[in-house]
Amino acid sequence: MTIKSKGYATHSATAELRPFAFERRDPRPQDIVISIAYCGICHSDIHSARNEWGRTSYPFVPGHEIVGRVAAVGKHVTGFKVGDLAGVGCLVDSCRICFSCEAGLEQYCDNGFTGTYGGEDKIGGTPHSMTFGGYSDTITVDQRFVLHIPENLDLASAAPLLCAGITTYSPLKHWNVGPGLRVGVIGLGGLGHMGVKFAHAMGAHVTMITTSPSKGADARKLGADGVLISKDAEAMRHARDSFDFLLNTIPVGHDVDPYMALLKRDATMVIVGSVEPLKRVDGIPLIFRRRSLAGSLIGGLRETQEMLDFCGQHGIVCDIERISIKDVNKAYDRTVRGDVKYRFVIDMATLAS
C-alpha cells in the first residue's frame, strides 16, 4: 500500500514544472505523515531542477522548506500527534551510526545523508527510487527528521526557516556570535536577511555589507545597525580590521580577499552561499592576521529544532511572497533575477485548483 500524492515536477533540465502524480510510502511504525501547507522556494531547488550541478534524476519534485500539520503517525512515534504543526528541512535520512550522526550533525553524515529531494531512497516502499520533495500535498518522513514548528509563528513565513533559517543560524551559533561582537552579513537575499535578523537577536552589532546602496533602508528595518557598501573603496578601507565575524551569503563564486581584509586578527569569515569555486583566495590576508576562512552547511536536527524554538521566542520569521503553485515557474525566473524579498513560499492549498 502507498499514499497517492500530487505535486509539481520537472522531467528534464529545460522543462518547466508541471502537475505530477506519484506515491509516498505508507507510514512505518516510526514514520509521520505530514499534510503540507506551505513549501519555500530555495535557489538550490532551481539549481537542481535545471541540473546545474549535474546530478539530477528525473522526474524531479523540488522543495525542502516544508511545513504543515501531522496527518498520521506510526505506533512507535513519540512527541508528535495528529494535528501538530510539523516541518521537514533539507534531509530525511542519514546513516545514524557515524561520528557525525551520533553528534547530532546529520548534515555532515560520513556516509552521506539522504536529501529531501533527489536522493537515493534507501527506505523504499514506493515505485520511486529517488526522494521527492515538498512541492506536493503530503510527505512521509521518519520521526527523527521531523521538526516542531512553534504555534506562534506565521506558518507560511516559517517555511524558509527550514533552510535559509538554519543555514544562517548554525554558523552564528557555532562561532559564538553574541553581545559585544561586530558582525558583518555579506549579501542581502534569502540567506542574508535571516543572518541580519539572527545576529541582531543574538545581541551583536550588525552591519549589512552589500553592493547596492538601495538595500540600506531594508537592512536597517531587518535589524542592521549599519550598512557598508562594498563598491565604495574608501568605506571598505576605513572598515578594515573591524569585524569579529563575517557571514558570507553571496551565492556565486567571487573574490573573497576584499572581505577578508575587514576581519580583525583571529576572526573568521564563513561561506554559506557559494557552492561554486571561489575565484580568488590570497594566503597573505589569512597568514598575516591569523584570520580564518570557513564553510558551514545547514544544521543537524537538534540544532534546527533549537533554531525554530529561538524563532518562536523572538518572533523571527522570513520575509516572504506567497504564491500559487501555478506561478512556480515565474517565481523561479524572478528568483534568478533577484526579484523577491526575500523568499517565495508556495501555498499548497492551490494544488487543489
Side-chain angles (χ1 to χ4, degrees), residues 10-55:
T10 180
H11 292 264
S12 79
T14 57
E16 291 191 332
L17 290 154
R18 297 294 185 195
F20 178 62
F22 61 101
E23 296 169 64
R24 301 288 193 187
R25 69 175 181 267
D26 265 355
R28 303 169 302 160
Q30 66 270 42
D31 281 343
I32 294 172
V33 180
I34 299 171
S35 177
I36 300 173
Y38 300 99
C39 186
I41 294 177
C42 174
H43 211 128
S44 297
D45 300 352
I46 302 172
H47 288 308
S48 298
R50 296 176 176 177
N51 199 26
E52 292 171 353
W53 292 333
R55 55 177 183 262

Side-chain angles (χ1 to χ4, degrees), residues 7 9 18 48 53 76 89-90 96 104 116 130 164 173-174 179 220 225 228-229 238 246 262-263 291 293 322 345:
R18 297 294 185 195
S48 298
W53 292 333
H76 293 162
C90 300
R96 313 184 191 201
T116 303
M130 308 297 282
K173 286 291 291 186
H174 182 76
R220 292 182 185 279
D225 299 287
L228 173 60
I229 305 304
H238 183 73
L246 292 175
L262 302 176
L263 291 171
R291 298 168 174 135
L293 177 63
R322 193 180 313 194
V345 173

Side-chain angles (χ1 to χ4, degrees), residues 93-144:
D93 202 6
S94 68
C95 81
R96 313 184 191 201
I97 59 173
C98 70
F99 179 73
S100 294
C101 286
E102 288 187 344
L105 299 170
E106 296 91 348
Q107 77 274 31
Y108 301 121
C109 176
D110 298 344
N111 297 300
F113 68 78
T114 300
T116 303
Y117 58 70
E120 180 186 355
D121 188 351
K122 297 176 182 177
I123 296 174
T126 75
H128 317 296
S129 62
M130 308 297 282
T131 55
F132 289 149
Y135 294 9
S136 55
D137 57 356
T138 187
I139 191 169
T140 305
V141 181
D142 187 290
Q143 65 177 338
R144 174 168 172 164

Side-chain angles (χ1 to χ4, degrees), residues 175 243-247 260 263-264 266-270 291-294:
W175 274 273
F243 288 95
D244 298 287
F245 182 84
L246 292 175
L247 183 69
M260 293 300 295
L263 291 171
K264 295 178 181 178
D266 290 328
T268 299
M269 177 164 70
V270 177
R291 298 168 174 135
S292 297
L293 177 63

Side-chain angles (χ1 to χ4, degrees), residues 165-179:
I166 188 57
T167 296
T168 49
Y169 179 90
S170 183
L172 292 170
K173 286 291 291 186
H174 182 76
W175 274 273
N176 299 310
V177 165

